[in-house]
Amino acid sequence: MSREELSMLDDGILTGLLGGPLISAALLYITLLLSSTDPPGDPLPSGWLVEPPMTLPQSANPLSPLQAVLRSRRYLVSQSTFCATLLLVHVCASWVTEARHRRKLVVPEGEVSSVPRKEGRRTYLYVLFTISVTLWILCVRIALEEMRLGIWQNMTYFDVVTSATFFQFSLYICVRLAHRGFTFGEVSLVAFGATILFMELVNLTSAKLWPMSTHYIKTFRLPTPLLIYQLALIPGSFLTGFLLSPLLYLSRHIAQRPVRRLRYPQEKQKHRRLLALGFYGGALLIVGGLVGLWTGWCLGGRNPWTYIVFWMLEGKNKWTRPALLIYWASLIAVSVAGWTRQLARGRRFRQWNVRTSTQAGTGSGDSHGVPHSPRYGASFGQPGYGSTGAQSQLPQPQAQQQTTATTTATAIPAANGGSPNVTPTELSDSNVPLTPLGEGMGPLSLRLPNLSNLPNLPDLPNGANLSNVATELLDAADKHVPTLSVNARRKFFHALAVVMFVPGIAVDPAFTHLAFSAAFALFTFTEYVRYFALYPLGAAVHLFMNEFLDSKDGGTAILSHFYLLTGCANSVWFEGPSRLLQFTGTLVLGVGDALASIAGKRLGRHRWFAANPKTIEGSAAFVVSVCFCAWLLRVVGVVEDFSIGRYVLVGTLAAGLEAFSVQNDNVTLPLYMWAMLVLCDVVA
């Protein structure tokens, strides 16, 4: 079986069709368990320091928060099957269209005969198809009501039209703006998640507008301030990009266009600065105005900015949440600074490799085989070091005399950044006559004594070459710094997720819930800056993130960091009653997936089958590491008791999904394992 055949077997259709209903069923099952106890359980997870959920006391028949969330999650199950039906209609329509155009044998290279060339025609046809499918699904909803089958009957006609239109709109936006960045299963899950957030936003707003005629707040999580801020941050960040899209488009257009093709080439930088200023100013107005006003309205007229400041001081202790913020900010700052230095070294290391291979191919280079420095030509320890390039090298007899005159000095140890067999003469300009020891010392000339533990250190050169020598010493040290592979770089951030998120979830999961939402909004604005080349950070952000890309990041947008964040955050955003469930995403991605990759690459010997890059050793490492960490959390008292046997069973099923699926692990694995942990009653 080839890789192409493996990809065809897992094209993502099952993931897209079953992912949403599986998660919805798990959320409904949690609520049913809480409702079945006597007395009914509290839907707000224990230990969450946040205001109680909002209710509608003005309603004719007000419901408790548990009753409201139970009805909302029944609606969520209908919503998930509804979106799965729409997705199946699109798949069938695609199959039929491809079959019709398959008879066209002559197709230009890089094109698909079923896809029109012109962007306008593609958009027009998709809008027409979206309207047709929406009207069809509305007719199906009416027919099901007439037949009294009970399917989708808790969805009003407004819900049907709104969710169908937005789901298909999300599919189109994902495909067009993140081209080649999604598999079919991933785009289906992303579109479903976007639809759920949008419907929560619509239902919460309508409940605030018409509280008398609304029976309950139809949100699939508890309507607490955490949900209000999440709806303000995540949809608000996308709304900001949509409203300011003309400025973003012009910024990218000017940045990409060659200067010679611009009408006013001398004004390019000025125009980029003005567009960036317009975007930053517009974003502040939208966030502080439209989004801020909506948030304050949903909070009952309270100022959202002062509310969040005072809420920061309402943790277990007044310093708990500020301390978490400082801890997270410190880790991020150290990681970014360290990776900036490491990536700069990696780029210079690659330059040296290119220079060395070029010299080896042309037969040039010194006798020692040391590559020239990319900045100063001859490297430290080479015969031509210190010359300007316009002067010729010394004749062989004179060079031999200088070498003989300095045989009393020994080499600088390579471990200290130097090159072997380097004499004091080679540390200075080769055309400068030798200076006898103890004579002619300039103000910057230093002579180190021959200490017993540092024998025979050479004299540092005269002041003119001191800066060059320092630079070359750093260059020589950089040659010995190992550069990490792309996989190792990416797995570092998985480990960083464990270090950052485990303390936050253990100490204050409610505050971590809000921090995840804020981080997602920050990632969105960072992607605006990177992709649309916003002045002055666009190029720097792009170069930094480009060092962490692999084959999965082939699309327009870079999505790996979004996947990692949401994979860890979903387990908290679902607001499950168990502390163990809240750690699921972080354990699966930060521990299991990272160690499975490392063990598979270093220890893997037995593949599941020939075309599969995953190994049995890697899958075993996934199960063992995740189960061990969950058991360790129980031992230290962070999570409650749970069934180890069932947890191992669910971990094994998740490892099988990780081994045989070609979908992005960061998206599917945490969702699947969280749902299975709920449905298998792992927590006692």
Side-chain angles (χ1 to χ4, degrees), residues 29-89:
Y29 184 70
I30 288 176
T31 315
L32 290 173
L33 290 179
L34 291 174
S35 303
S36 62
T37 59
D38 190 17
D42 187 0
L44 188 66
S46 61
W48 284 46
L49 303 177
V50 67
E51 290 183 3
M54 293 187 300
T55 57
L56 296 176
Q58 302 91 344
S59 177
N61 296 311
L63 301 178
S64 66
L66 181 59
Q67 293 172 331
V69 77
L70 177 60
R71 293 194 179 186
S72 298
R73 289 179 176 176
R74 284 175 176 165
Y75 170 85
L76 177 62
V77 173
S78 299
Q79 182 76 67
S80 63
T81 56
F82 180 81
C83 292
T85 303
L86 291 172
L87 187 67
L88 187 60
V89 171

Short mmCIF file of all heavy atoms in Angstrom, two decimals, residues 29-89:
data_model
loop_
_atom_site.label_atom_id
_atom_site.label_comp_id
_atom_site.label_asym_id
_atom_site.label_seq_id
_atom_site.Cartn_x
_atom_site.Cartn_y
_atom_site.Cartn_z
N TYR A 29 -24.00 13.59 27.53
CA TYR A 29 -23.90 12.51 28.51
C TYR A 29 -23.47 13.05 29.87
O TYR A 29 -23.98 12.61 30.91
CB TYR A 29 -22.91 11.46 28.00
CG TYR A 29 -22.79 10.26 28.89
CD1 TYR A 29 -23.83 9.35 29.00
CD2 TYR A 29 -21.63 10.02 29.62
CE1 TYR A 29 -23.73 8.24 29.81
CE2 TYR A 29 -21.51 8.92 30.43
CZ TYR A 29 -22.56 8.02 30.53
OH TYR A 29 -22.46 6.92 31.34
N ILE A 30 -22.53 14.02 29.87
CA ILE A 30 -22.11 14.63 31.14
C ILE A 30 -23.30 15.29 31.82
O ILE A 30 -23.51 15.14 33.04
CB ILE A 30 -20.98 15.66 30.87
CG1 ILE A 30 -19.68 14.95 30.52
CG2 ILE A 30 -20.77 16.55 32.09
CD1 ILE A 30 -18.57 15.90 30.16
N THR A 31 -24.10 16.03 31.06
CA THR A 31 -25.23 16.74 31.64
C THR A 31 -26.30 15.78 32.14
O THR A 31 -26.93 16.00 33.18
CB THR A 31 -25.83 17.70 30.61
OG1 THR A 31 -24.77 18.41 29.96
CG2 THR A 31 -26.74 18.70 31.27
N LEU A 32 -26.52 14.69 31.42
CA LEU A 32 -27.49 13.69 31.87
C LEU A 32 -27.06 13.05 33.18
O LEU A 32 -27.89 12.78 34.06
CB LEU A 32 -27.68 12.63 30.79
CG LEU A 32 -28.42 13.07 29.52
CD1 LEU A 32 -28.38 11.98 28.46
CD2 LEU A 32 -29.86 13.45 29.85
N LEU A 33 -25.76 12.80 33.33
CA LEU A 33 -25.27 12.23 34.59
C LEU A 33 -25.49 13.20 35.74
O LEU A 33 -25.87 12.79 36.85
CB LEU A 33 -23.79 11.89 34.46
CG LEU A 33 -23.42 10.70 33.55
CD1 LEU A 33 -21.91 10.51 33.51
CD2 LEU A 33 -24.10 9.42 34.03
N LEU A 34 -25.24 14.48 35.51
CA LEU A 34 -25.46 15.46 36.57
C LEU A 34 -26.94 15.57 36.93
O LEU A 34 -27.30 15.75 38.10
CB LEU A 34 -24.93 16.83 36.13
CG LEU A 34 -23.42 16.97 35.99
CD1 LEU A 34 -23.05 18.33 35.41
CD2 LEU A 34 -22.73 16.78 37.35
N SER A 35 -27.80 15.44 35.93
CA SER A 35 -29.24 15.56 36.18
C SER A 35 -29.81 14.33 36.87
O SER A 35 -30.86 14.42 37.53
CB SER A 35 -29.98 15.80 34.86
OG SER A 35 -29.50 16.94 34.21
N SER A 36 -29.17 13.19 36.73
CA SER A 36 -29.71 11.94 37.28
C SER A 36 -29.41 11.76 38.76
O SER A 36 -29.97 10.87 39.39
CB SER A 36 -29.15 10.75 36.50
OG SER A 36 -27.74 10.69 36.64
N THR A 37 -28.54 12.57 39.33
CA THR A 37 -28.21 12.43 40.75
C THR A 37 -29.28 13.10 41.60
O THR A 37 -30.05 13.94 41.14
CB THR A 37 -26.84 13.06 41.04
OG1 THR A 37 -26.88 14.45 40.68
CG2 THR A 37 -25.75 12.36 40.26
N ASP A 38 -29.32 12.73 42.87
CA ASP A 38 -30.29 13.29 43.80
C ASP A 38 -29.54 13.81 45.03
O ASP A 38 -29.02 13.01 45.81
CB ASP A 38 -31.31 12.23 44.21
CG ASP A 38 -32.48 12.83 44.99
OD1 ASP A 38 -32.66 14.07 44.92
OD2 ASP A 38 -33.18 12.05 45.67
N PRO A 39 -29.46 15.10 45.21
CA PRO A 39 -29.97 16.18 44.35
C PRO A 39 -29.13 16.34 43.10
O PRO A 39 -27.99 15.84 43.05
CB PRO A 39 -29.86 17.40 45.26
CG PRO A 39 -28.70 17.10 46.14
CD PRO A 39 -28.75 15.62 46.39
N PRO A 40 -29.64 17.05 42.10
CA PRO A 40 -28.86 17.23 40.86
C PRO A 40 -27.54 17.94 41.13
O PRO A 40 -27.43 18.78 42.03
CB PRO A 40 -29.79 18.09 39.99
CG PRO A 40 -31.16 17.83 40.54
CD PRO A 40 -30.99 17.62 42.01
N GLY A 41 -26.54 17.59 40.35
CA GLY A 41 -25.22 18.16 40.54
C GLY A 41 -25.13 19.58 40.03
O GLY A 41 -26.01 20.07 39.30
N ASP A 42 -24.07 20.23 40.45
CA ASP A 42 -23.83 21.60 40.01
C ASP A 42 -23.14 21.56 38.65
O ASP A 42 -22.08 20.93 38.50
CB ASP A 42 -22.93 22.31 41.03
CG ASP A 42 -22.77 23.79 40.73
OD1 ASP A 42 -23.35 24.26 39.73
OD2 ASP A 42 -22.05 24.47 41.49
N PRO A 43 -23.72 22.22 37.64
CA PRO A 43 -23.08 22.17 36.32
C PRO A 43 -21.75 22.93 36.27
O PRO A 43 -20.92 22.67 35.40
CB PRO A 43 -24.11 22.83 35.39
CG PRO A 43 -24.92 23.71 36.30
CD PRO A 43 -24.96 23.01 37.62
N LEU A 44 -21.54 23.87 37.21
CA LEU A 44 -20.27 24.60 37.24
C LEU A 44 -19.21 23.72 37.87
O LEU A 44 -19.40 23.21 38.99
CB LEU A 44 -20.43 25.89 38.03
CG LEU A 44 -19.24 26.86 38.00
CD1 LEU A 44 -19.05 27.41 36.59
CD2 LEU A 44 -19.46 28.00 38.99
N PRO A 45 -18.09 23.46 37.19
CA PRO A 45 -17.06 22.58 37.76
C PRO A 45 -16.57 23.08 39.12
O PRO A 45 -16.50 24.29 39.37
CB PRO A 45 -15.94 22.63 36.70
CG PRO A 45 -16.62 23.05 35.44
CD PRO A 45 -17.73 23.96 35.86
N SER A 46 -16.29 22.14 39.99
CA SER A 46 -15.83 22.50 41.32
C SER A 46 -14.46 23.16 41.25
O SER A 46 -13.60 22.78 40.46
CB SER A 46 -15.75 21.24 42.20
OG SER A 46 -14.82 20.31 41.65
N GLY A 47 -14.28 24.17 42.09
CA GLY A 47 -13.01 24.88 42.12
C GLY A 47 -12.89 26.01 41.12
O GLY A 47 -11.84 26.67 41.09
N TRP A 48 -13.91 26.25 40.32
CA TRP A 48 -13.88 27.33 39.34
C TRP A 48 -14.37 28.61 40.01
O TRP A 48 -15.54 28.72 40.39
CB TRP A 48 -14.75 26.99 38.13
CG TRP A 48 -14.10 26.00 37.21
CD1 TRP A 48 -13.47 24.85 37.56
CD2 TRP A 48 -14.02 26.09 35.78
NE1 TRP A 48 -13.02 24.19 36.45
CE2 TRP A 48 -13.33 24.93 35.33
CE3 TRP A 48 -14.47 27.01 34.85
CZ2 TRP A 48 -13.08 24.69 33.99
CZ3 TRP A 48 -14.21 26.77 33.51
CH2 TRP A 48 -13.53 25.62 33.08
N LEU A 49 -13.50 29.56 40.16
CA LEU A 49 -13.81 30.82 40.82
C LEU A 49 -14.32 31.81 39.79
O LEU A 49 -13.57 32.60 39.22
CB LEU A 49 -12.56 31.36 41.54
CG LEU A 49 -11.94 30.39 42.57
CD1 LEU A 49 -10.69 30.99 43.17
CD2 LEU A 49 -12.94 30.04 43.65
N VAL A 50 -15.61 31.75 39.53
CA VAL A 50 -16.25 32.60 38.54
C VAL A 50 -17.68 32.80 38.96
O VAL A 50 -18.23 32.04 39.78
CB VAL A 50 -16.16 31.95 37.13
CG1 VAL A 50 -17.00 30.69 37.07
CG2 VAL A 50 -16.54 32.93 36.04
N GLU A 51 -18.32 33.85 38.44
CA GLU A 51 -19.71 34.13 38.79
C GLU A 51 -20.63 32.99 38.36
O GLU A 51 -20.36 32.28 37.39
CB GLU A 51 -20.17 35.42 38.11
CG GLU A 51 -19.54 36.68 38.67
CD GLU A 51 -20.10 37.92 38.01
OE1 GLU A 51 -21.01 37.78 37.16
OE2 GLU A 51 -19.62 39.02 38.32
N PRO A 52 -21.74 32.80 39.05
CA PRO A 52 -22.70 31.77 38.63
C PRO A 52 -23.25 32.06 37.23
O PRO A 52 -23.24 33.21 36.77
CB PRO A 52 -23.81 31.87 39.69
CG PRO A 52 -23.17 32.54 40.85
CD PRO A 52 -22.15 33.47 40.29
N PRO A 53 -23.75 31.05 36.56
CA PRO A 53 -24.29 31.26 35.20
C PRO A 53 -25.50 32.19 35.22
O PRO A 53 -26.26 32.26 36.18
CB PRO A 53 -24.68 29.85 34.75
CG PRO A 53 -23.93 28.93 35.64
CD PRO A 53 -23.77 29.63 36.94
N MET A 54 -25.67 32.91 34.12
CA MET A 54 -26.82 33.80 33.99
C MET A 54 -28.10 32.99 33.76
O MET A 54 -28.07 31.91 33.17
CB MET A 54 -26.60 34.75 32.81
CG MET A 54 -25.48 35.75 33.01
SD MET A 54 -25.42 36.96 31.66
CE MET A 54 -25.16 35.87 30.25
N THR A 55 -29.19 33.52 34.21
CA THR A 55 -30.51 32.94 33.97
C THR A 55 -31.44 34.03 33.46
O THR A 55 -31.07 35.20 33.39
CB THR A 55 -31.08 32.32 35.26
OG1 THR A 55 -31.13 33.32 36.29
CG2 THR A 55 -30.21 31.16 35.74
N LEU A 56 -32.67 33.63 33.13
CA LEU A 56 -33.68 34.57 32.65
C LEU A 56 -34.87 34.54 33.61
O LEU A 56 -35.88 33.85 33.36
CB LEU A 56 -34.12 34.20 31.23
CG LEU A 56 -33.04 34.28 30.15
CD1 LEU A 56 -33.59 33.78 28.81
CD2 LEU A 56 -32.51 35.69 30.01
N PRO A 57 -34.75 35.25 34.70
CA PRO A 57 -35.88 35.22 35.67
C PRO A 57 -37.15 35.88 35.14
O PRO A 57 -38.24 35.62 35.65
CB PRO A 57 -35.32 36.00 36.87
CG PRO A 57 -34.26 36.89 36.31
CD PRO A 57 -33.67 36.11 35.16
N GLN A 58 -37.01 36.74 34.09
CA GLN A 58 -38.20 37.39 33.55
C GLN A 58 -39.03 36.46 32.68
O GLN A 58 -40.16 36.79 32.29
CB GLN A 58 -37.81 38.62 32.72
CG GLN A 58 -37.03 39.66 33.50
CD GLN A 58 -35.52 39.44 33.39
OE1 GLN A 58 -35.10 38.34 32.99
NE2 GLN A 58 -34.74 40.44 33.74
N SER A 59 -38.49 35.30 32.33
CA SER A 59 -39.20 34.37 31.46
C SER A 59 -40.43 33.81 32.16
O SER A 59 -40.51 33.75 33.40
CB SER A 59 -38.27 33.24 31.03
OG SER A 59 -38.94 32.30 30.24
N ALA A 60 -41.39 33.37 31.35
CA ALA A 60 -42.63 32.81 31.92
C ALA A 60 -42.34 31.55 32.73
O ALA A 60 -42.92 31.35 33.80
CB ALA A 60 -43.62 32.52 30.80
N ASN A 61 -41.46 30.71 32.23
CA ASN A 61 -41.09 29.48 32.93
C ASN A 61 -39.57 29.43 33.04
O ASN A 61 -38.89 28.78 32.23
CB ASN A 61 -41.60 28.25 32.18
CG ASN A 61 -43.12 28.20 32.13
OD1 ASN A 61 -43.79 28.36 33.16
ND2 ASN A 61 -43.66 27.98 30.94
N PRO A 62 -39.00 30.14 34.00
CA PRO A 62 -37.53 30.18 34.11
C PRO A 62 -36.97 28.81 34.46
O PRO A 62 -37.57 28.04 35.23
CB PRO A 62 -37.29 31.19 35.23
CG PRO A 62 -38.56 31.22 36.02
CD PRO A 62 -39.65 30.95 35.05
N LEU A 63 -35.82 28.49 33.86
CA LEU A 63 -35.15 27.22 34.07
C LEU A 63 -33.90 27.43 34.89
O LEU A 63 -33.27 28.50 34.85
CB LEU A 63 -34.79 26.57 32.73
CG LEU A 63 -35.95 26.26 31.77
CD1 LEU A 63 -35.40 25.67 30.47
CD2 LEU A 63 -36.95 25.31 32.40
N SER A 64 -33.51 26.41 35.61
CA SER A 64 -32.24 26.45 36.34
C SER A 64 -31.08 26.33 35.35
O SER A 64 -31.28 25.89 34.20
CB SER A 64 -32.18 25.31 37.36
OG SER A 64 -32.14 24.05 36.68
N PRO A 65 -29.86 26.71 35.76
CA PRO A 65 -28.73 26.58 34.83
C PRO A 65 -28.53 25.15 34.32
O PRO A 65 -28.20 24.96 33.15
CB PRO A 65 -27.54 27.05 35.67
CG PRO A 65 -28.14 27.98 36.68
CD PRO A 65 -29.48 27.41 36.99
N LEU A 66 -28.75 24.14 35.19
CA LEU A 66 -28.58 22.76 34.75
C LEU A 66 -29.64 22.38 33.73
O LEU A 66 -29.34 21.73 32.71
CB LEU A 66 -28.63 21.82 35.95
CG LEU A 66 -28.45 20.34 35.64
CD1 LEU A 66 -27.11 20.08 34.96
CD2 LEU A 66 -28.58 19.50 36.92
N GLN A 67 -30.88 22.76 33.95
CA GLN A 67 -31.94 22.46 32.99
C GLN A 67 -31.70 23.17 31.66
O GLN A 67 -31.93 22.60 30.58
CB GLN A 67 -33.30 22.86 33.57
CG GLN A 67 -33.74 22.05 34.77
CD GLN A 67 -34.99 22.62 35.42
OE1 GLN A 67 -35.23 23.82 35.37
NE2 GLN A 67 -35.78 21.75 36.04
N ALA A 68 -31.22 24.41 31.73
CA ALA A 68 -30.97 25.16 30.50
C ALA A 68 -29.83 24.53 29.70
O ALA A 68 -29.93 24.39 28.47
CB ALA A 68 -30.65 26.61 30.84
N VAL A 69 -28.76 24.14 30.37
CA VAL A 69 -27.64 23.57 29.63
C VAL A 69 -28.00 22.17 29.11
O VAL A 69 -27.49 21.73 28.07
CB VAL A 69 -26.38 23.55 30.51
CG1 VAL A 69 -26.41 22.43 31.53
CG2 VAL A 69 -25.12 23.43 29.66
N LEU A 70 -28.89 21.45 29.80
CA LEU A 70 -29.33 20.14 29.31
C LEU A 70 -30.10 20.29 28.00
O LEU A 70 -29.84 19.56 27.03
CB LEU A 70 -30.19 19.45 30.36
CG LEU A 70 -30.79 18.10 29.97
CD1 LEU A 70 -29.69 17.09 29.65
CD2 LEU A 70 -31.70 17.57 31.07
N ARG A 71 -31.02 21.25 27.94
CA ARG A 71 -31.76 21.48 26.70
C ARG A 71 -30.84 22.00 25.59
O ARG A 71 -30.99 21.63 24.41
CB ARG A 71 -32.89 22.48 26.95
CG ARG A 71 -33.98 21.95 27.86
CD ARG A 71 -35.21 22.84 27.79
NE ARG A 71 -36.29 22.35 28.64
CZ ARG A 71 -37.50 22.87 28.68
NH1 ARG A 71 -37.79 23.92 27.90
NH2 ARG A 71 -38.43 22.38 29.48
N SER A 72 -29.89 22.84 25.98
CA SER A 72 -28.97 23.39 24.98
C SER A 72 -28.11 22.29 24.37
O SER A 72 -27.84 22.31 23.16
CB SER A 72 -28.08 24.45 25.63
OG SER A 72 -28.84 25.52 26.13
N ARG A 73 -27.71 21.32 25.15
CA ARG A 73 -26.85 20.27 24.61
C ARG A 73 -27.65 19.25 23.82
O ARG A 73 -27.08 18.58 22.94
CB ARG A 73 -26.05 19.63 25.75
CG ARG A 73 -24.98 20.59 26.27
CD ARG A 73 -24.16 20.06 27.40
NE ARG A 73 -23.12 21.02 27.76
CZ ARG A 73 -22.26 20.89 28.77
NH1 ARG A 73 -22.33 19.79 29.54
NH2 ARG A 73 -21.36 21.81 29.01
N ARG A 74 -28.91 19.09 24.11
CA ARG A 74 -29.75 18.31 23.20
C ARG A 74 -29.86 19.01 21.85
O ARG A 74 -29.82 18.36 20.79
CB ARG A 74 -31.14 18.11 23.82
CG ARG A 74 -31.18 17.07 24.94
CD ARG A 74 -32.53 17.01 25.60
NE ARG A 74 -32.60 15.95 26.60
CZ ARG A 74 -33.55 15.84 27.51
NH1 ARG A 74 -34.53 16.74 27.54
NH2 ARG A 74 -33.53 14.85 28.39
N TYR A 75 -29.99 20.32 21.92
CA TYR A 75 -29.98 21.10 20.68
C TYR A 75 -28.63 20.95 19.97
O TYR A 75 -28.57 20.90 18.73
CB TYR A 75 -30.26 22.56 21.01
CG TYR A 75 -30.07 23.52 19.87
CD1 TYR A 75 -31.08 23.76 18.94
CD2 TYR A 75 -28.86 24.19 19.70
CE1 TYR A 75 -30.90 24.64 17.89
CE2 TYR A 75 -28.67 25.08 18.66
CZ TYR A 75 -29.69 25.30 17.76
OH TYR A 75 -29.50 26.17 16.72
N LEU A 76 -27.54 20.88 20.73
CA LEU A 76 -26.20 20.74 20.13
C LEU A 76 -26.08 19.43 19.37
O LEU A 76 -25.46 19.38 18.29
CB LEU A 76 -25.14 20.80 21.23
CG LEU A 76 -23.70 20.60 20.79
CD1 LEU A 76 -23.26 21.68 19.80
CD2 LEU A 76 -22.76 20.58 22.00
N VAL A 77 -26.66 18.35 19.89
CA VAL A 77 -26.63 17.07 19.17
C VAL A 77 -27.36 17.21 17.84
O VAL A 77 -26.88 16.73 16.79
CB VAL A 77 -27.24 15.95 20.03
CG1 VAL A 77 -27.36 14.67 19.24
CG2 VAL A 77 -26.40 15.72 21.28
N SER A 78 -28.52 17.86 17.85
CA SER A 78 -29.23 18.09 16.59
C SER A 78 -28.41 18.97 15.65
O SER A 78 -28.36 18.72 14.44
CB SER A 78 -30.58 18.76 16.87
OG SER A 78 -31.40 17.95 17.68
N GLN A 79 -27.74 19.97 16.21
CA GLN A 79 -26.92 20.86 15.39
C GLN A 79 -25.76 20.11 14.74
O GLN A 79 -25.42 20.34 13.58
CB GLN A 79 -26.37 21.99 16.26
CG GLN A 79 -25.53 23.01 15.53
CD GLN A 79 -26.36 23.96 14.71
OE1 GLN A 79 -27.11 24.76 15.26
NE2 GLN A 79 -26.26 23.89 13.41
N SER A 80 -25.15 19.18 15.48
CA SER A 80 -24.02 18.43 14.94
C SER A 80 -24.45 17.50 13.81
O SER A 80 -23.77 17.41 12.78
CB SER A 80 -23.33 17.64 16.05
OG SER A 80 -24.21 16.68 16.61
N THR A 81 -25.57 16.80 13.98
CA THR A 81 -26.05 15.93 12.90
C THR A 81 -26.52 16.76 11.71
O THR A 81 -26.41 16.33 10.55
CB THR A 81 -27.18 15.04 13.40
OG1 THR A 81 -28.24 15.86 13.95
CG2 THR A 81 -26.69 14.10 14.49
N PHE A 82 -27.05 17.94 11.99
CA PHE A 82 -27.47 18.85 10.92
C PHE A 82 -26.27 19.27 10.07
O PHE A 82 -26.31 19.21 8.83
CB PHE A 82 -28.15 20.06 11.55
CG PHE A 82 -28.64 21.09 10.58
CD1 PHE A 82 -29.84 20.94 9.92
CD2 PHE A 82 -27.89 22.22 10.32
CE1 PHE A 82 -30.30 21.89 9.03
CE2 PHE A 82 -28.33 23.18 9.43
CZ PHE A 82 -29.54 23.02 8.78
N CYS A 83 -25.18 19.67 10.72
CA CYS A 83 -23.97 20.06 9.99
C CYS A 83 -23.35 18.87 9.26
O CYS A 83 -22.82 19.02 8.15
CB CYS A 83 -22.96 20.69 10.94
SG CYS A 83 -23.45 22.30 11.61
N ALA A 84 -23.42 17.69 9.88
CA ALA A 84 -22.90 16.50 9.21
C ALA A 84 -23.70 16.19 7.94
O ALA A 84 -23.13 15.76 6.92
CB ALA A 84 -22.93 15.30 10.16
N THR A 85 -25.00 16.42 7.98
CA THR A 85 -25.82 16.22 6.78
C THR A 85 -25.43 17.20 5.68
O THR A 85 -25.32 16.83 4.50
CB THR A 85 -27.30 16.37 7.13
OG1 THR A 85 -27.64 15.45 8.17
CG2 THR A 85 -28.17 16.11 5.92
N LEU A 86 -25.24 18.45 6.04
CA LEU A 86 -24.80 19.44 5.06
C LEU A 86 -23.45 19.04 4.45
O LEU A 86 -23.24 19.17 3.24
CB LEU A 86 -24.68 20.81 5.71
CG LEU A 86 -25.98 21.50 6.14
CD1 LEU A 86 -25.67 22.76 6.94
CD2 LEU A 86 -26.83 21.84 4.93
N LEU A 87 -22.56 18.56 5.29
CA LEU A 87 -21.25 18.14 4.79
C LEU A 87 -21.38 16.97 3.83
O LEU A 87 -20.70 16.92 2.79
CB LEU A 87 -20.36 17.77 5.98
CG LEU A 87 -18.91 17.45 5.66
CD1 LEU A 87 -18.19 18.70 5.17
CD2 LEU A 87 -18.21 16.91 6.90
N LEU A 88 -22.26 16.04 4.15
CA LEU A 88 -22.46 14.89 3.26
C LEU A 88 -23.04 15.33 1.92
O LEU A 88 -22.68 14.79 0.87
CB LEU A 88 -23.39 13.89 3.95
CG LEU A 88 -23.59 12.55 3.23
CD1 LEU A 88 -22.27 11.83 3.08
CD2 LEU A 88 -24.58 11.67 4.00
N VAL A 89 -23.92 16.32 1.93
CA VAL A 89 -24.46 16.86 0.67
C VAL A 89 -23.34 17.45 -0.17
O VAL A 89 -23.28 17.24 -1.40
CB VAL A 89 -25.55 17.90 0.97
CG1 VAL A 89 -25.96 18.63 -0.31
CG2 VAL A 89 -26.76 17.24 1.61
#
